[in-house]
Amino acid sequence: MTEKKKTADRTKKTAYTRKTEAKLEEAQGKLAVVKAKIKGAVADGQIEAVELLQKTEAKADSQLAKVKRRLERLKAAGDDSWEELKDGTESAWEELSESLKKIADRLSVKKKP
């Protein structure tokens, strides 16, 4: 592999890693907001969401950890092999995003009119 190609791969890897880290931080923030809304709704008596909160925390925390593990593996990968791990990272990210969306949807449905 030429030095120019190595530099290009390293640049792509760095950019992808930074973008994924930013998305992860954003997801953590969204999850914190969702958890706060559920706790507020429980306190207001709008929904009976203790079970929803527990499921939300367990599933989302697990998925966040999965994305973090994948990201760490990607960071540790060589400049020429990191793209092989990219699909798994994207898949874990999509699962987390979908889960957060479902949680938010369930929360808006569970509220009493």
Side-chain angles (χ1 to χ4, degrees):
M1 181 180 294
T2 67
E3 192 59 38
K4 195 174 194 178
K5 173 79 170 124
K6 285 182 183 179
T7 301
D9 285 349
R10 193 174 307 118
T11 300
K12 287 168 71 175
K13 177 184 173 185
T14 300
Y16 179 79
T17 300
R18 286 182 182 160
K19 179 181 175 185
T20 303
E21 287 173 332
K23 289 183 350 183
L24 187 58
E25 286 178 24
E26 183 179 333
Q28 289 172 317
K30 286 180 182 179
L31 180 58
V33 169
V34 167
K35 287 179 181 180
K37 284 182 180 181
I38 292 171
K39 288 177 183 177
V42 170
D44 292 343
Q46 291 179 338
I47 59 173
E48 294 185 24
V50 173
E51 186 176 317
L52 176 61
L53 178 59
Q54 291 170 342
K55 285 180 182 179
T56 298
E57 288 178 327
K59 185 172 184 176
D61 289 345
S62 171
Q63 289 175 327
L64 278 170
K66 183 177 180 180
V67 172
K68 286 179 183 179
R69 283 191 309 273
R70 299 253 182 186
L71 183 58
E72 290 306 315
R73 278 192 245 157
L74 190 138
K75 285 179 181 180
D79 292 337
D80 56 345
S81 64
W82 73 273
E83 288 198 45
E84 295 170 12
L85 300 172
K86 186 177 173 184
D87 288 340
T89 303
E90 286 296 317
S91 175
W93 174 253
E94 288 171 16
E95 288 176 22
L96 174 60
S97 296
E98 185 62 29
S99 182
L100 289 174
K101 183 184 179 317
K102 285 180 182 178
I103 291 165
D105 290 348
R106 267 192 267 152
L107 180 59
S108 65
V109 170
K110 295 262 184 189
K111 290 183 182 176
K112 290 183 181 178

